[in-house]
Amino acid sequence: MDTTEFIALAAGTRGAPGHPVSPDDELRALVQAQQITRELARAVATHTTSPTRAALFARVAEDEHRAAAHTRLLAADTARRTLAHELPEDTFDALAAIHRDPSGYLAGTTALPQDPRTVPTGRPVFRDTTEFLAGFLHIGSFEARERVHSIDRLLPGTNIHGQPVPPRFPVLAGDLASGAADPGQIGAAARKLEALAPIVDGHPDAAILAGTLENRVAESVRREDPRTTAKLLAGIQTSLERGPEDLPEEVLRTRTGLFHRGTTGGLGEFLLRTLPRDTEALLALCASTDNPRTKAGDRDGLLQQALAANSVTGPNASNAQSATSPDGNGPAAGFPDFLTDPATGAPLTDPEPSGTSPWTPTEPAIPPPCPT
């Protein structure tokens, strides 16, 4: 069943078979579709015991959330275009009553209030669309203001001459309409790009640069988490304001290392800075130590090897052959490379305790007495 068939089924004949679909029929169908969607969601949540169906249900619910975000913008744009905030107070009261109990409106026995035939006089209930959204929908003023601002960023419109104009950020607008990304992240990215617009407009190739930046940000919004997108936007802002920094490697190396940030809540905090290539190696090492199928992640194997290595240098030195190769010159087969001495190939063990250590303070020697 497509949308047209559902509208015809929901509207009925109204006593006149073949009557054209009216705007009221479409609105009634939308109200019924929302009721059906709510009831279906509750039924699926109650009767689903399969994790596979639960995963698909979560995805469908997210799609519904994204579609609802786009619908909210369309509703705000319609309210602004039709000057809905100028309606009289009696009309708002009647609409609120129909919204609480739409059964009469859905059955066709209750009609909507008539639109004003002339420009309303006197003080309006709401000053503008933002106040209308906040007061009539009972949402916060910040959210209402953000919806009005998002109309120009993410929805097509018309200019002062009545000519159609595209949205300010067409790529993000397409993702919002299709549900390709989270609406909150799309809105945040559009706000940031709008704040960077004055800097971009001063570039010689402003149109090309704006399109390139929007494509990069939109791709990050689709595939990355919000923190990664925020870092990308921060980097774009830094590059636009100061230009890219091409620092030599010698300068970058002075900024790398392990830095102690202090103690918080009885726990010490350290900050590790590495070069990009060192970061890749560090991430690979962490991944191998977290994978039990690798030598570095084999906890039981490392324990046995550590016990065998300890027996070589400990009191039971007679078991040295168990920790070394058959010829006695190298480590046993399968010993992790990062636990062997690169020079000799022998297992790394704790040093034997000695009488003195470079870290152990010693008493100064007593000088001999001076001759008299």
Side-chain angles (χ1 to χ4, degrees):
M1 178 184 297
D2 58 10
T3 304
T4 304
E5 294 175 348
F6 177 76
I7 294 175
L9 180 63
T13 61
R14 307 296 181 194
H19 77 289
V21 176
S22 66
D24 269 335
D25 293 335
E26 295 175 344
L27 188 56
R28 290 188 183 99
L30 178 61
V31 174
Q32 292 186 4
Q34 289 180 339
Q35 292 179 346
I36 294 174
T37 300
R38 284 194 292 267
E39 294 175 359
L40 278 176
R42 298 189 183 108
V44 171
T46 303
H47 302 143
T48 296
T49 57
S50 166
T52 304
R53 294 188 182 92
L56 181 58
F57 176 44
R59 189 68 188 184
V60 172
E62 179 63 21
D63 292 340
E64 182 182 356
H65 161 70
R66 297 179 180 184
H70 185 242
T71 304
R72 288 197 298 265
L73 280 192
L74 294 176
D77 181 35
T78 305
R80 188 178 70 170
R81 174 168 46 85
T82 59
L83 302 179
H85 65 279
E86 296 183 353
L87 291 172
E89 185 176 2
D90 295 341
T91 300
F92 288 126
D93 294 339
L95 292 176
I98 292 175
H99 179 262
R100 286 192 298 269
D101 184 13
S103 57
Y105 176 65
L106 295 178
T109 58
T110 301
L112 296 180
Q114 293 293 329
D115 295 329
R117 297 185 178 181
T118 60
V119 178
T121 60
R123 184 177 181 180
V125 181
F126 305 109
R127 291 185 303 175
D128 51 21
T129 304
T130 301
E131 282 196 0
F132 161 74
L133 295 176
F136 190 64
L137 304 183
H138 305 292
I139 62 176
S141 58
F142 175 80
E143 173 64 22
R145 184 170 61 253
E146 181 59 29
R147 290 186 191 181
V148 173
H149 291 166
S150 297
I151 293 173
D152 299 324
R153 301 176 190 141
L154 301 172
L155 290 182
T158 56
N159 56 17
I160 58 176
H161 304 291
Q163 300 295 327
V165 294
R168 188 171 303 172
F169 304 105
V171 179
L172 293 175
D175 290 345
L176 178 65
S178 62
D182 180 73
Q185 297 185 39
I186 292 177
R191 288 195 303 270
K192 188 62 176 180
L193 289 176
E194 186 179 44
L196 297 176
I199 307 177
V200 176
D201 292 340
H203 195 272
D205 300 325
I208 298 177
L209 177 61
T212 302
L213 295 181
E214 184 185 356
N215 286 327
R216 291 181 58 189
V217 172
E219 184 68 19
S220 178
V221 170
R222 293 188 209 106
R223 303 185 180 277
E224 304 294 342
D225 58 282
R227 292 185 60 184
T228 303
T229 304
K231 291 180 181 179
L232 173 62
L233 289 168
I236 291 175
Q237 181 177 3
T238 301
S239 300
L240 292 175
E241 291 178 349
R242 299 185 302 177
E245 296 184 359
D246 295 330
L247 299 178
E249 185 174 351
E250 293 76 10
V251 177
L252 291 177
R253 281 199 172 276
T254 60
R255 302 179 181 179
T256 61
L258 185 64
F259 305 92
H260 183 221
R261 302 182 61 179
T263 303
T264 303
L267 300 175
E269 294 184 356
F270 292 86
L271 176 64
L272 177 62
R273 292 196 183 103
T274 61
L275 295 175
R277 60 175 179 270
D278 298 332
T279 303
E280 293 295 335
L282 183 60
L283 292 176
L285 176 61
C286 293
S288 64
T289 56
D290 192 49
N291 186 357
R293 297 184 179 181
T294 62
K295 292 182 179 180
D298 185 7
R299 303 293 190 268
D300 295 335
L302 290 176
L303 176 61
Q304 297 299 327
Q305 293 167 1
L307 294 176
N310 185 48
S311 65
V312 175
T313 57
N316 300 325
S318 59
N319 296 330
Q321 188 67 22
S322 63
T324 58
S325 58
D327 55 3
N329 296 326
F335 203 86
D337 296 337
F338 56 87
L339 293 180
T340 59
D341 188 351
T344 62
L348 294 177
T349 57
D350 294 334
E352 291 292 340
S354 58
T356 61
S357 170
W359 305 105
T360 304
T362 58
E363 297 183 0
I366 302 178
C370 300
T372 56

